Amino acid sequence: MSALAVEAVWKFYGDYPALRDIRFSVERGQCIALLGRNGAGKTTLIRILAGLSRPTKGFVRLFGRDAGERATRAQVGIIGHGIGIYDELSALENLKLFAGLYALPSPARVAAEWLERTGLDRVKDGLVREFSRGMRQRLAVARAFLHNPQLLLLDEPFTALDDRAIALLQGLLRDALHEGRTVLMSTHQLREAMELATHVALINRGRLAYTGERSPEMLADPGYLYRVHGEA
Amino acid sequence: MSALAVEAVWKFYGDYPALRDIRFSVERGQCIALLGRNGAGKTTLIRILAGLSRPTKGFVRLFGRDAGERATRAQVGIIGHGIGIYDELSALENLKLFAGLYALPSPARVAAEWLERTGLDRVKDGLVREFSRGMRQRLAVARAFLHNPQLLLLDEPFTALDDRAIALLQGLLRDALHEGRTVLMSTHQLREAMELATHVALINRGRLAYTGERSPEMLADPGYLYRVHGEA
Amino acid sequence: MTFIRQILTVAAKDLRSEIRTKEAINASLSFALVILLLFSFAFDPTSETTREIAGGLLWLAFAFAGVLILNRSFARELQNDCLDMLNASPVPAPALFLGKALANYVLLVGIEAVCLPVFGVFYNVTWYTHLGQLVLVLLLATWGITVVGTVFSALTVNLRLREIMLPMLMYPVLIPCLMAAMRLSTVLIDGQPITGDDLAWLRLLIGFDIIFTSLAVVLIDTVLIG
Amino acid sequence: MTFIRQILTVAAKDLRSEIRTKEAINASLSFALVILLLFSFAFDPTSETTREIAGGLLWLAFAFAGVLILNRSFARELQNDCLDMLNASPVPAPALFLGKALANYVLLVGIEAVCLPVFGVFYNVTWYTHLGQLVLVLLLATWGITVVGTVFSALTVNLRLREIMLPMLMYPVLIPCLMAAMRLSTVLIDGQPITGDDLAWLRLLIGFDIIFTSLAVVLIDTVLIG
Amino acid sequence: MGLRDKIMIGLGALAAVLLTRNIWVMLTGLPDEAFQGAIFRIIFFHVPAAFTCFLCFFLALVAGVVYLVRKNLQWDAFAVSVTEVGLAFGAINLISGMIWARIIWGIWWTWDWRLTSMLVCWLLYAGYLVLRRAIEETTERARLGAVMLILNFSVVPFVFFSIKWFRTQHPQPVLFGDGKMDEIYRTMLYGNWVPLLLIAAVLVMLRMRQENQQREIDALRRAAHSF
Ligand code: HEM
Ligand SMILES: Nc1ncnc2c1ncn2[C@@H]1O[C@H](COP(=O)(O)OP(=O)(O)OP(=O)(O)O)[C@@H](O)[C@H]1O
Ligand SMILES: Nc1ncnc2c1ncn2[C@@H]1O[C@H](COP(=O)(O)OP(=O)(O)OP(=O)(O)O)[C@@H](O)[C@H]1O
Ligand SMILES: [Mg+2]
Ligand SMILES: [Mg+2]
C-alpha cells in the first residue's frame, strides 16, 4: 500500500482546470520533491492532499484511506504558505494549542521539547507577533512535526530560513525518512530539495510532466529537470 | 554624499535591543547584501531605513536627507516580508494605485509597462486573490520598481520565485545598478545574493559583525562569511 | 471525550486571543452601552411605554453588539492561514464549530451580563423579579444568535464588505429567535412570569436552537472545506 | 494639489476594493431593510411614541452601519502588510487618513441615502419637508462618526496605543455627536425647521467635527509610525 | 433552433394566450366583489404570485441539496435561476399587496405580521443573491449558496408558524381555511395560476441558459489569464 496515491485528479476553479489528470504515488520512506514554475499548481495539489480542498474529479489516498478522514489527518504534518500560527499567542501557547488539537497525551511536554529542537526555547513566551520571519517559520516547522506525522506535506518549507535552520530542517526530514516516514515538498530552492529528495515530480501548468527517481545529474545541476522536461 | 548612511542606530523593543550601535554607509551604485541569522535584526534595520519605524537612538540618512521626509520616500522602493499588494484589486489596479500614490505622471502607462516587464501582462485583470505565491511576489517586484527609485530596499526578495523569476529580478537589479542606483537587500538565498552584491554587511544578534566588499571567496562559497565572522 | 476536549481547546484558544487583544469585546461592549445610554435620553425612562419596549431595546442592543463579536470569529483565523491548519488537524469540523461558538457564547453572555444591570439603572426597571426565567431566556436566545452567527461568520469570512454582509444575511434568519426573546423579555421585565401563550414562544426558542445547532453541525464541513 | 490627489487616490482605492459591482448597493439596501425590520419588532412602529424616537432609530441604524464599516478600515491594510507600503510611500499620514476617512464617508452616506426613503415608506413618515436641513445634519453628523471611527480603526492596528486608549471606551466618544444628530433629526422629521435652542445642537455638531478632524490630522502620524 | 428553444417559445406563447383570456374574463365576465369593488381583481395576481414564489423557493432548496450531493454546476445554475424568478414573483405579490393596501387601508405598508413575514422571506432570499454576487470563484459560490439555501428554507416554517400568534389585519387564508370564497373567484384564482407558472418556467429556463454561458465565458477568461 502506497503512502500516498493520487489518481486521475482534476481540480477546476469554475471551469478553469488548475490540475489536469494528475497521477502518481509515493511509497513509505520516500521523499518526493514537487517542482514546477510559479502558478503551476503545486499548492493546489498539496492542499488537496492535506484534505483542505476536494478534487473536482479523481481521488487521493493517504495510507489507503481518504484524505479527509480524521485518522488520516492525525498522520499528516503540514507547512503551508501562511505559517499557520497565531500572532496573539506565544510560541509555547501555539504549540500547546496544536498538541491539544492533535490530542497528544502531554501537550506541555511535547511543546517544550519541540521548542528546544527548533531552537526557539529562549523566546518561548514571546508573542509570535514580535518574531522575525525566520523565527516564525521555525515555529511552523515545530508545529508540523509536533505529532510525529507519518506523512509530511511541505509547501516551500525552506522559505526565510537561515543556513542553520535549513540544516536543522533537513536533519529533521532526514531523521523522518530514516524512520520510514514519507515526505512531499514543493520548493523553488532546488539545491536544498535535491539533497533530500529520492524522487521528483514536475508539474507544468497543471499537468504532470515528469515523475521518477532523482538522478545524480539533478543533484549536480538543479536546473536540469526544468531544461529537459519543462516548457520552453 | 553617501546614498545611505546609518549612524549609531539602536532600536529597543521594550528592554530588548534588536539593533545595537549599527554604523555603515553605502555609496551610490553599490549593491549591499545584508546578511544575518534568523532574528538578527535585518528586517528591523530595513524598516528603519524605509521610515516605517524610528530608531531609538542614532539616525539614518538617505541621500543626505532624513528617512521620514516625503522627498526621500519618493526615491525609495521597497519589498517587505508581506507582499504589500491588495488581494481585492487586480494586478493592474494595484500598480495604478501605487503609481498614483507616488504621483507619477501617467499611472496607467507605467503600470502596463511594469506588468509586461515582470511577465504578468497576461493576468493583469485577474484579482490578486487568485494568484499563486510566485505571481504575487512578481507583482511586489513590479510595485517596488514602478517609480524608478534611486534606492531599493529589498527584504528577502527572492522568496517564492521560480528560476525564471529570479533571473528576471536579478536582471532588473543589475540594470538598476548600472544606472547608478543603489540596492540594499537581505536574503538567506546567499548564492543569488552574492552574484549581485558588491558589498556585504553581516549582523549578529543586532550588532554589525562585518562590512566590506564582497570577496571572490564569498561568491565561491556562500557559507564562508558565516563561518568566518558569524557566531559559533 | 476527545471531541469535547477539542471543543474546549478551540474555545480556550479563541477566548485567550480575544482577551489579549480585546478588539471585539471593546467595540461590542461600548457599542451596546452607547445604545442603551442614548435611548435612555430619547425616551422618558419613567413612562409606561418604556416598559413596553424594554425587551425590544435590550435585544436590539445585544443583537448589534453580537455582530461585532461574531464578525471576528472566523476572520481571526484568516491571518497566517490559521484556518487551514485547523481544518487540516484531526479536529472534526463540528468540534471546531462548536468550540468557536462556545467562545462567542461566553463573550456574548459576558457582555449581556454587564449590560443588564446598566439597563436596569438607566431605565429604572426592576428586571430581576423573575431572574431565573430571564436568565433562561437570555441563555437560550443567545445560543440561537451565537449558532446562526457563527455559521454565517464562517460563510462570509472571504467576502468583501464582510462586515455588513454578516448582519444582512444573519438577521433575517434570526428573526424568529429575536422575536421570541423580545416578547419574553418584555413580559418578564414587566414583572409577569411566562405563562399560557408565551410558553409557545419559549418552545419556539428551544426548537430554533435545536434545529439550527443540528443544521450547523451537519453543514459546517461543507462550508469550511471546498 | 498633490495632497488632494493623494487623498483621492487612497479613497478611490478603498472604495474600489469594497465595491466591485452593484453588490455594494444591493448589500446596503438589504442591510437597511433588515435593520428597519428589526426595529419594527423591537418597537411598535405605528404607535405615537415611536414617532418621537424616529430620529433616534435612524441614527442608531447609521451608527451601527458606521461601526461595522469603520472597524475594518485600517484592519484591511494589515493583510499582506499593505499599511507598510502606504506608510513608506510619499503620501503623508494626514493624506492617508483623510483618504480613508473620505472612502468611509462615501460608503456611509451612500447607505444613509438608501436607508432614508425606505425608512420613510415603512414608518409612514414624511421626512422630506426640510430636506436641505436634514441633509446638512446628516452630512455633519456622519463626518463626525467617520472621523472618530477612522482614528479608532487606526488605533486598533497599533496594539501598544490601543492598550492606552482602552479605558476610554471607543464609542462613547461619539455620544455628543449622536445625541445632537438624533435631536435635530427628530425635530426635522416631525416637520419643524431648526430654530432657537436647536441651533445650539447644530453648533455642537460643527464644533465636534472641527475638533476631532484637527485632532485626528495632528495625531495620525504618531498613531501610524512607531 | 434547438428543441429547448422550441419548448420555451411554445410555453411562452401558451402563457400569453391564457393570460390574455383570463384578463379578458376578469374584466368582462366577473362581477365586482361586494365589499372591495373593482380592485378585488388584483387578487388573481396577488395570490398566485405568492404561491409561485413559495414553489420556487422550495425548488431552490431541492436544487441546493442536490448540488451539495452531486457537485454538478448545472444544479447551481438551476438554484439561482429559480430563486431569482421566485424573488420576482415575491415582488409581484408584495407590490400588488401594497397597491391593494393603499386603496383599501389607505397606507402603503403596515407592520402586520402577514406582510412582515412575506418581507422577511423575500429578504432571506435576496440575501442569497447578494451573497452570490460577492463570491467570484464559481465552485465556492455554488457551495456556499447551497448552504445558504438550506439555512434559509429552515427559517421559513418558523416565520409562518408564528403567524398563529398574531392578530393580522391581512385577510386570513380563504383558500385552504374555511373556504368562504365564491366558486367563480376560486376557479379564476387557480386558472390564473397556470399562466403565471408557465411564465416562471420559461424565465427559469432562460436564466439557466444565461448562467451556463456565463460560466463558460469565465472559464475562457481564466484560461486566457493563466500562466
Ligand atoms: C404588501 C402587502 C401584502 C403582502 C406582502 C401580502 C402577502 C400575501 C401572501 C404571501 C399571500 C399568500 C399566502 C397565504 O395564502 O397564506 C397573500 C394572500 C392573500 N392576500 Fe395578501 N398581502 C398583502 C396585502 C393584501 C391586501 C391589502 C389584501 C386585501 C385586503 C390582501 C388580500 C389577500 C387575500 C384575500 C389572500 C388570499 C388568502 C388565502 O386564501 O390564502 N393582501 N397575501
Ligand atoms: N482560489 C483560486 N481561485 C482561482 N484560481 C486560483 C485559486 N487558487 C489558485 N488559482 C490558480 O491556480 C493556478 C495554480 O496555483 P497554485 O497556487 O497551485 O500555484 P503554485 O504551483 O503553488 O505556484 P507558486 O510556486 O507561485 O506558489 C494558478 O494559475 C492560480 O492563479
Ligand atoms: N514588534 C516587535 N516587538 C518585539 N520584538 C520584536 C519585534 N519585531 C522584531 N522583534 C525582535 O527583534 C529581533 C530582530 O527581528 P528581525 O525581524 O529584524 O529579524 P530578521 O533579521 O529580519 O530575521 P529573519 O531572517 O528571521 O527575518 C528578533 O529577536 C525579534 O524577536
Ligand atoms: Mg504555491
Ligand atoms: Mg526578516
Side-chain angles (χ1 to χ4, degrees):
Chain A
M1 185 189 59
S2 309
L4 186 157
V6 181
E7 309 194 9
V9 161
W10 290 74
K11 176 75 188 182
F12 286 86
Y13 287 117
D15 282 353
Y16 169 76
L19 292 179
R20 321 184 196 193
D21 198 29
I22 304 276
R23 319 159 180 256
F24 66 92
S25 64
V26 182
E27 302 306 313
R28 277 171 202 263
Q30 291 183 351
C31 171
I32 185 162
L34 188 63
L35 306 178
R37 292 249 157 73
N38 289 148
K42 302 180 295 298
T43 300
T44 309
L45 182 57
I46 291 183
R47 288 179 61 84
I48 289 177
L49 291 173
L52 292 175
S53 152
R54 299 208 176 87
T56 315
K57 284 191 257 174
F59 56 92
V60 154
R61 289 260 174 284
L62 309 185
F63 306 109
R65 284 187 304 252
D66 197 78
E69 264 177 51
R70 213 195 301 183
T72 326
R73 290 188 167 168
Q75 297 299 318
V76 178
I78 301 174
I79 299 180
H81 277 330
I83 49 168
I85 46 182
Y86 292 90
D87 279 355
E88 308 88 18
L89 301 181
S90 72
L92 183 64
E93 282 168 342
N94 264 295
L95 292 191
K96 278 209 296 215
L97 165 69
F98 281 96
L101 294 179
Y102 280 87
L104 302 188
S106 54
R109 199 187 43 71
V110 179
E113 181 195 326
W114 276 99
L115 283 172
E116 211 195 299
R117 292 185 69 171
T118 47
L120 288 171
D121 46 346
R122 285 216 316 234
V123 287
K124 68 172 183 292
D125 292 320
L127 296 192
V128 173
R129 178 199 301 276
E130 300 171 350
F131 278 18
S132 79
R133 169 122 165 221
M135 290 153 79
R136 288 158 172 256
Q137 187 75 7
R138 281 169 186 240
L139 193 55
V141 170
R143 194 215 54 234
F145 277 85
L146 197 67
H147 54 290
N148 273 321
Q150 287 303 311
L151 173 64
L152 285 153
L153 299 174
L154 314 177
D155 200 359
E156 306 191 23
F158 298 114
T159 297
L161 293 182
D162 64 21
D163 52 341
R164 270 193 219 159
I166 288 181
L168 179 114
L169 178 56
Q170 284 178 328
L172 287 175
L173 290 175
R174 233 172 243 127
D175 292 350
L177 292 173
H178 280 156
E179 291 166 24
R181 289 142 79 188
T182 317
V183 176
L184 181 146
M185 65 178 153
S186 91
T187 185
H188 295 293
Q189 273 157 277
L190 301 178
R191 235 169 288 261
E192 283 80 6
M194 288 303 176
E195 284 175 18
L196 272 171
T198 60
H199 289 71
V200 294
L202 177 68
I203 302 188
N204 271 342
R205 294 202 203 187
R207 208 168 251 136
L208 199 64
Y210 177 83
T211 45
E213 293 201 13
R214 189 218 57 191
S215 59
E217 54 267 60
M218 293 179 195
L219 183 58
D221 165 19
Y224 172 80
L225 197 66
Y226 280 102
R227 278 200 309 283
V228 178
H229 299 281
E231 295 183 323
Chain B
M1 187 186 58
S2 308
L4 188 155
V6 180
E7 309 195 8
V9 162
W10 290 73
K11 176 78 187 183
F12 285 87
Y13 288 118
D15 287 345
Y16 174 76
L19 292 179
R20 321 184 196 189
D21 197 29
I22 303 274
R23 317 157 182 257
F24 68 92
S25 65
V26 182
E27 303 306 314
R28 275 171 204 264
Q30 292 183 350
C31 171
I32 185 162
L34 188 63
L35 307 178
R37 293 250 157 73
N38 289 147
K42 302 181 293 299
T43 301
T44 308
L45 181 58
I46 291 184
R47 287 178 63 84
I48 289 176
L49 291 173
L52 293 174
S53 151
R54 297 202 181 91
T56 317
K57 283 191 257 172
F59 56 91
V60 153
R61 288 260 174 285
L62 309 183
F63 307 109
R65 283 187 304 252
D66 197 78
E69 263 177 51
R70 212 194 302 182
T72 326
R73 290 188 167 167
Q75 296 300 318
V76 178
I78 301 174
I79 299 180
H81 278 328
I83 50 169
I85 47 182
Y86 291 91
D87 279 354
E88 301 87 15
L89 300 181
S90 72
L92 183 64
E93 282 168 342
N94 264 295
L95 292 191
K96 278 209 295 215
L97 164 68
F98 281 97
L101 293 178
Y102 281 89
L104 301 188
S106 55
R109 197 186 45 70
V110 179
E113 180 194 324
W114 276 98
L115 283 171
E116 212 194 298
R117 292 183 70 170
T118 47
L120 288 170
D121 46 346
R122 288 228 315 250
V123 288
K124 68 172 183 290
D125 293 319
L127 296 190
V128 172
R129 179 206 301 274
E130 297 174 354
F131 280 16
S132 76
R133 170 119 166 223
M135 289 152 78
R136 288 156 173 257
Q137 187 76 6
R138 283 172 185 234
L139 194 55
V141 170
R143 192 214 58 232
F145 278 85
L146 198 66
H147 53 291
N148 273 320
Q150 287 305 309
L151 172 65
L152 285 154
L153 300 175
L154 313 177
D155 200 359
E156 305 190 25
F158 298 113
T159 297
L161 293 181
D162 65 20
D163 51 342
R164 270 192 221 161
I166 287 181
L168 180 115
L169 178 56
Q170 285 178 327
L172 288 175
L173 289 175
R174 232 171 245 130
D175 291 351
L177 292 172
H178 280 154
E179 290 167 23
R181 287 141 81 188
T182 316
V183 176
L184 180 145
M185 65 179 153
S186 91
T187 185
H188 295 293
Q189 273 156 282
L190 301 178
R191 237 168 287 260
E192 283 80 7
M194 289 303 175
E195 284 174 18
L196 273 170
T198 59
H199 290 69
V200 294
L202 176 68
I203 302 188
N204 270 343
R205 298 207 200 175
R207 207 168 254 136
L208 199 65
Y210 176 84
T211 45
E213 293 202 13
R214 190 217 58 192
S215 60
E217 54 268 60
M218 294 180 194
L219 183 58
D221 165 19
Y224 172 80
L225 197 64
Y226 280 103
R227 278 201 308 283
V228 177
H229 299 281
E231 295 181 324
Chain C
M1 266 338 288
T2 331
F3 191 77
I4 292 178
R5 194 124 39 79
Q6 284 167 329
I7 292 181
L8 293 180
T9 313
V10 172
K13 189 270 302 172
D14 266 21
L15 285 175
R16 190 171 299 137
S17 47
E18 179 54 46
I19 287 167
R20 285 263 156 84
T21 61
K22 298 188 193 66
E23 248 167 74
I25 307 183
N26 211 3
S28 159
L29 183 62
S30 56
F31 194 63
L33 291 178
V34 168
I35 295 178
L36 292 181
L37 205 70
L38 279 180
F39 273 77
S40 78
F41 293 125
F43 291 112
D44 178 10
T46 45
S47 82
E48 252 319 289
T49 46
T50 313
R51 286 288 165 75
E52 280 166 30
I53 57 152
L57 191 62
L58 205 55
W59 282 100
L60 205 59
F62 293 166
F64 280 9
V67 164
L68 296 181
I69 298 241
L70 294 165
N71 247 331
R72 288 273 306 145
S73 182
F74 272 87
R76 192 204 315 282
E77 307 289 333
L78 282 184
Q79 214 185 19
N80 298 341
D81 291 350
C82 287
L83 190 55
D84 283 350
M85 291 308 133
L86 293 183
N87 284 333
S89 75
V91 177
L96 176 58
F97 171 79
L98 290 174
K100 285 198 149 299
L102 188 61
N104 295 334
Y105 192 57
V106 171
L107 290 174
L108 276 182
V109 169
I111 286 175
E112 291 170 3
V114 174
C115 284
L116 252 184
V118 174
F119 172 81
V121 172
F122 280 131
Y123 290 77
N124 200 18
V125 287
T126 41
W127 48 277
Y128 36 76
T129 350
H130 298 284
L131 192 56
Q133 296 191 351
L134 188 62
V135 168
L136 179 73
V137 169
L138 216 118
L139 292 181
L140 283 175
T142 308
W143 180 250
I145 297 181
T146 309
V147 164
V148 172
T150 312
V151 173
F152 276 98
S153 174
L155 208 71
T156 52
V157 259
N158 285 315
L159 303 191
R160 282 176 271 118
L161 225 53
R162 162 177 85 217
E163 270 63 26
I164 65 169
M165 287 293 199
L166 176 66
M168 186 214 91
L169 295 178
M170 98 178 199
Y171 285 146
V173 175
L174 275 179
I175 276 176
C177 169
L178 285 177
M179 254 177 27
M182 285 174 177
R183 168 78 198 159
L184 292 171
S185 312
T186 306
V187 171
L188 288 170
I189 290 176
D190 205 32
Q192 286 140 18
I194 301 177
T195 48
D197 268 9
D198 290 329
L199 279 176
W201 285 112
L202 197 63
R203 275 196 297 274
L204 183 144
L205 215 48
I206 297 174
F208 187 92
D209 282 5
I210 294 178
I211 290 191
F212 277 90
T213 310
S214 347
L215 268 180
V217 165
V218 172
L219 288 176
I220 193 70
D221 196 61
T222 319
V223 173
L224 289 179
I225 295 184
Chain D
M1 266 337 288
T2 331
F3 191 76
I4 292 179
R5 192 125 38 80
Q6 284 166 328
I7 293 182
L8 293 180
T9 313
V10 172
K13 186 274 298 174
D14 266 21
L15 285 175
R16 190 168 303 132
S17 54
E18 291 283 27
I19 5 185
R20 291 231 132 242
T21 46
K22 302 181 297 278
E23 158 206 342
I25 307 288
N26 293 340
S28 44
L29 187 62
S30 3
F31 179 78
L33 283 170
V34 167
I35 298 296
L36 288 178
L37 206 71
L38 272 189
F39 285 160
S40 83
F41 292 125
F43 314 103
D44 178 11
T46 43
S47 80
E48 253 319 291
T49 44
T50 312
R51 282 294 164 74
E52 282 165 28
I53 58 158
L57 289 185
L58 208 54
W59 280 101
L60 193 56
F62 295 166
F64 182 53
V67 170
L68 292 172
I69 289 184
L70 294 166
N71 256 336
R72 174 84 183 289
S73 183
F74 272 90
R76 193 210 325 281
E77 306 288 335
L78 283 184
Q79 215 187 17
N80 298 343
D81 291 350
C82 287
L83 189 56
D84 282 351
M85 292 307 134
L86 293 183
N87 283 333
S89 74
V91 178
L96 176 58
F97 171 78
L98 290 175
K100 284 198 145 305
L102 187 61
N104 295 334
Y105 191 58
V106 171
L107 275 178
L108 277 182
V109 170
I111 291 182
E112 291 171 3
V114 173
C115 281
L116 252 184
V118 176
F119 178 80
V121 172
F122 283 106
Y123 286 74
N124 205 14
V125 287
T126 41
W127 47 277
Y128 36 76
T129 349
H130 298 285
L131 192 57
Q133 296 189 351
L134 188 62
V135 169
L136 179 72
V137 169
L138 216 120
L139 293 181
L140 283 176
T142 309
W143 181 250
I145 297 181
T146 309
V147 166
V148 173
T150 312
V151 174
F152 276 110
S153 166
L155 276 177
T156 57
V157 174
N158 191 326
L159 197 68
R160 189 170 44 85
L161 283 175
R162 189 174 42 199
E163 293 288 332
I164 300 169
M165 303 299 291
L166 204 63
M168 188 174 99
L169 285 175
M170 286 159 79
Y171 295 101
V173 176
L174 274 178
I175 281 184
C177 170
L178 284 177
M179 257 181 28
M182 286 180 172
R183 169 73 198 159
L184 293 171
S185 314
T186 307
V187 170
L188 289 170
I189 292 176
D190 207 32
Q192 287 139 16
I194 301 177
T195 48
D197 271 7
D198 291 329
L199 280 176
W201 285 112
L202 196 63
R203 273 196 297 274
L204 183 146
L205 215 50
I206 296 175
F208 187 94
D209 282 6
I210 294 178
I211 290 186
F212 277 90
T213 311
S214 344
L215 267 181
V217 166
V218 172
L219 290 178
I220 193 70
D221 198 61
T222 325
V223 173
L224 288 180
I225 296 186
Chain E
M1 191 164 60
L3 181 61
R4 260 196 122 98
D5 301 74
K6 282 186 196 147
I7 295 177
M8 251 157 44
I9 291 176
L11 290 180
L14 184 59
V17 171
L18 280 177
L19 205 58
T20 326
R21 180 220 159 242
N22 283 346
I23 291 176
W24 177 253
V25 175
M26 267 178 234
L27 295 179
T28 62
L30 281 183
D32 280 3
E33 210 259 351
F35 297 105
Q36 304 197 357
I39 186 65
F40 180 71
R41 291 183 177 80
I42 207 168
I43 197 176
F44 302 124
F45 293 90
H46 181 75
V47 178
F51 289 172
T52 314
C53 167
F54 297 147
L55 179 68
C56 285
F57 290 166
F58 176 70
L59 289 178
L61 169 75
V62 175
V65 174
V66 176
Y67 173 78
L68 287 184
V69 176
R70 294 269 170 80
K71 294 282 151 64
N72 182 343
L73 287 172
Q74 289 286 337
W75 284 102
D76 177 58
F78 182 63
V80 222
S81 316
V82 96
T83 313
E84 277 181 13
V85 174
L87 278 172
F89 280 89
I92 293 177
N93 171 265
L94 278 166
I95 291 168
S96 63
M98 279 169 85
I99 295 170
W100 199 350
R102 174 77 206 178
I103 288 169
I104 296 288
W105 302 332
I107 41 167
W108 290 106
W109 186 264
T110 164
W111 293 98
D112 173 280
W113 181 241
R114 190 76 196 82
L115 276 56
T116 311
S117 67
M118 187 63 193
L119 183 64
V120 171
C121 223
W122 198 86
L123 280 174
L124 276 170
Y125 284 86
Y128 165 79
L129 288 190
V130 175
L131 174 76
R132 289 183 62 94
R133 276 273 159 70
I135 308 175
E136 280 97 23
E137 211 275 293
T138 321
T139 327
E140 191 182 350
R141 177 174 19 170
R143 177 169 51 95
L144 297 183
V147 170
M148 177 94 189
L149 284 176
I150 295 175
L151 290 176
N152 274 356
F153 199 82
S154 35
V155 192
V156 175
F158 283 106
V159 172
F160 282 91
F161 261 122
S162 38
I163 213 164
K164 282 193 295 188
W165 302 319
F166 291 89
R167 269 181 301 112
T168 58
Q169 188 168 3
H170 186 274
Q172 287 296 310
V174 286
L175 289 179
F176 305 113
D178 41 15
K180 290 194 302 240
M181 198 185 241
D182 270 355
E183 194 56 39
I184 33 167
Y185 291 134
R186 182 181 305 200
T187 321
M188 182 48 113
L189 204 60
Y190 284 128
N192 211 33
W193 192 17
V194 177
L196 290 194
L197 273 181
L198 289 178
I199 292 174
V202 173
L203 287 178
V204 169
M205 284 160 87
L206 272 173
R207 263 303 274 132
M208 252 185 95
R209 169 192 300 180
Q210 193 191 343
E211 196 67 20
N212 286 330
Q213 281 168 352
Q214 184 62 46
R215 226 176 44 236
E216 277 169 37
I217 293 171
D218 281 353
L220 289 177
R221 182 182 59 81
R222 286 284 288 113
H225 284 169
S226 80
F227 258 45

